[in-house]
Amino acid sequence: MAELALENITYVYGERTPFEIKALDDVSLTVREGSVTGIIGHTGSGKSTLVQLLNGLERPTSGRVLLDGKDIWEKPKEIKKIRFRVGLVMQYPEYQLFEETIRADIAFGPKNMGLSEEEINHRVKEATEFVGLDPILLDKSPFDLSGGQKRRAAIAGVMAMRPEILVLDEPAAGLDPRGRDIILKGIRDYGKKTGSTVIIVSHSMEDMATYCDDIIVMSHGKVYLSGTRDEVFAHAGKLTEVGLDVPQITRLALLLEERGIPLPHGIYTVDAALDALRSLFR
Amino acid sequence: MKNIALGQYYPAESPIHRLDARMKVILAILYIVCTFLCKNVLCFAALACSSILLILISRIPLRTVLRAIRPIIFIMLFTAVINLFFTKGEVLLFSWWKLQIYREGIYSAVFMVVRIIVLILGTSLFLTYTTTPIALTDAIESLLSPLRIFHAPIHEFAMMMTIALRFIPTLSEETSKIMNAQKARGVDFSEGGLIRRAKSLVPILIPLFVSSFRRADELATAMECRCYRGGKGRTKMTIPRLHVRDFVALFLMVAFGAGIVLLNRYGYGYTM
Amino acid sequence: MAEILIHAKELWCSYEEDDRRVPVLRGISLDIARGEYVAILGHNGSGKSTFAKLLNGILEPEAGELVVAGTNLASPDLTDDDIYALRREVGMVFQNPDNQLVATIVEEDVAFGPENLGVPSAEIRRRVDDALATVGMSDYAGHEPHRLSGGQKQRVAIAGLIAMMPSCMIFDESTAMLDPAGRREVIETFEKLNREQGITVLTITHYMNEAARADRVIVIDDGKILADGTPHEIFADPGRLIAAGLDVPQCTSLIHALRAEGVALEGEPITPEECADLLCRALEGKKHG
């Protein structure tokens, strides 16, 4: 398994042109091995750029991306190997499906890795299970699947490469609550069962509160807050300051606190709120 | 990615930018005619001067202007060489083996080069550099509209152009997204021979086609829901109006053409 | 009761798959009055989008009655002109903000609708300026759509409808592809249109938070109407919504959990503010009691 770290990363778009934009500004962070880490921030906070740096799709203007302490750009010719170790699922990944069957599409990544037929079949089966896709669908064309199923197939395509670090950009965007839960649970299971690190980029604080161990909050190209879920939600007030939506239950806790009702800090689940209120009503 | 330049339009405030697009199309055509009217040294000198003047008026940096000429340097050299060696004349300047260069050959080569440069500069300065692609589309639609009586699908053509212009940036952004997604699955676009490279395009092209069809379908529905029924009965928000400046420009261009014709009569030296 | 704008009775619709007819809508009956702000809530595949597409003639009903703004969409002699007339009255904003803008400049796009209607030029100019001002996009009139954010693109799409002066606007999952800021922009825009101009707003969504803001919520599940009422009535039964694959506001869950443990709480709060009020009152009462 591998540890991922960023060291003083700066990324500038359109350098030396009138359109120059600093997307990331001296960002340093470490992603805990084996954790599910959430990255949250507004559109334009730099989180999408960050994601593309993690597996070497983009090269930082300055600073280093370290995988197990080694700069991933040490040998630029071997960047492809890094992409197999750090798997990236882009936003709306269903638009990348191209093979005739779902099975062939999920097998595409493992095939590019040069794995044996047998290993590929095994990986396809395993990945299908992770995302909860019905095996009957494997021999169907991507066009015959619903939006949610396509999304799951596309994510399975990256999981089948069994990356040590799985990065997903908005994996649940546009899905309904049921579809969202299936996908996020599958992603968490992948991390647990393979011991891989999972990084989820999302706009939804409620999803973060439910599925992530650690949270990194980005704002204006910098890390604004980071730490374990409890640590980050202990600063719930700071999150609303940069205009992020905190979970509804956290808003309620903040409101009650304002009215002088004693509640512990950092409530972000209904259960935690229930525990706190239960003792007040006794 | 969001900043890709559509066409070569160079935003600036200049008298040429301000002209009506339809007039600019007409001016460009007249200017091309002028380059073909030129017959002698005086005319070509006047033509070259007029081009320099146009560059100055358009306020487009010289470097940008020269970029338009770069792609045709080869054709220019080729034409020059052909003219240099194959124009027969009276004054032989140089002869070696079968190659002979006459004084007329030199004139002719220089004339042709000037003519080609001015042709490119003229169209670039009147059209691509100073007119947005959409204004150009509208202008062409408007100028061709008399052809409607022959049932030519002018409106449909213009609508197609507009939609293409609208979606070029969207699709180019999408292409780079799909490329990144497939790179993340181990596709390498720079490795291997021609066949392998061509093969690696399949995972890009199929999703791109699929998505383009989906977009086209959704756009068609959205257009119908906004009561689009083709060009019939449609009005326009902005009806372009010709201003005094447009007629002044037209007058100057016609005067220039007349000047060229006059100079042809009083020319000396080599005449084409 | 105000004038009925949308009347549906026992409405059926199905699509064809492998030569079989798969019913999507299985007997929808409802009436929506002019000026209402209604959310249609349902998971993906529940039939809510199909219903929306019937309302302005993109799809055809199979059986039942459907009358929208006086146009009988179930009539066998429905003509293209009828649908054209209907679409002037009932506008629709779609899900993907990229695939509904036609022109390369924002104001040209807003003008597209009225140009199709053959409105005189000066009048189009006035309508476009007003529409852009209403959605707060006047400063972007000369911009290229592809440089705008998702929320801004949707607001331009809304302006494009306003310029056609419809009496009803349907938002077919128009916020699904947007970030939270964009979602807020779009919702605030259509709420303003409903409030200030009396435009009937129908928003199709699977976001419970969005539905909770409407005056009336209709829950569709498996092609049928599961519930129809005010948000407070709808969220009073969390179990029913969860069974239909939907979320329940966290505050609602909390109150129901507390009640299940024997805490006496009156009312059905949806927002944190309402919930805080309720809890404070209850704690206050307990202190004095």
Side-chain angles (χ1 to χ4, degrees), chain A residues 39-56:
Chain A
I39 300 180
I40 194 164
H42 285 301
T43 308
S45 63
K47 60 187 187 345
S48 286
T49 309
L50 186 80
V51 164
Q52 305 204 17
L53 289 171
L54 297 180
N55 75 337

Side-chain angles (χ1 to χ4, degrees), chain A residues 153-175:
Chain A
I155 293 175
V158 176
M159 283 180 176
M161 293 159 63
R162 216 186 281 158
E164 297 155 65
I165 293 164
L166 177 64
V167 188
L168 305 105
D169 193 356
E170 293 281 353
L175 296 180

Side-chain angles (χ1 to χ4, degrees), chain B residues 13-17 50 52-60:
Chain B
E13 283 281 320
S14 85
I16 301 185
H17 281 80
S50 71
I52 293 166
L53 199 65
L54 275 180
I55 295 173
L56 291 177
I57 297 175
S58 72
R59 300 214 182 123
I60 291 167

Side-chain angles (χ1 to χ4, degrees), chain A residues 43 176 248 259 278 281, chain C residues 44 179 250 261 270 277 286:
Chain A
T43 308
D176 62 3
Q248 207 195 22
R259 300 187 183 191
R278 189 186 287 132
F281 276 106
Chain C
N44 291 347
D179 62 2
Q250 287 181 321
E261 295 189 4
I270 295 172
D277 285 342
K286 189 170 169 289

Side-chain angles (χ1 to χ4, degrees), chain A residues 117-182:
Chain A
E117 190 86 2
E118 197 185 342
E119 178 65 16
I120 292 177
N121 286 338
H122 172 68
R123 295 259 183 118
V124 170
K125 189 168 163 273
E126 186 190 64
T128 315
E129 277 165 21
F130 278 128
V131 295
L133 204 62
D134 191 338
I136 296 173
L137 299 175
L138 281 177
D139 294 309
K140 288 206 171 187
S141 151
F143 302 111
D144 294 336
L145 269 58
S146 75
Q149 289 167 333
K150 271 192 256 185
R151 176 80 54 89
R152 282 188 254 164
I155 293 175
V158 176
M159 283 180 176
M161 293 159 63
R162 216 186 281 158
E164 297 155 65
I165 293 164
L166 177 64
V167 188
L168 305 105
D169 193 356
E170 293 281 353
L175 296 180
D176 62 3
R178 202 181 273 161
R180 175 200 67 202
D181 286 336
I182 292 173

Side-chain angles (χ1 to χ4, degrees), chain A residues 212-224:
Chain A
C212 297
D213 307 316
D214 293 351
I215 294 174
I216 297 167
V217 184
M218 301 282 303
S219 181
H220 298 105
K222 287 180 190 276
V223 174
Y224 178 72

Side-chain angles (χ1 to χ4, degrees), chain C residues 262-275:
Chain C
V263 181
L265 293 165
E266 289 282 323
E268 288 297 339
I270 295 172
T271 65
E273 287 75 16
E274 291 170 356
C275 189

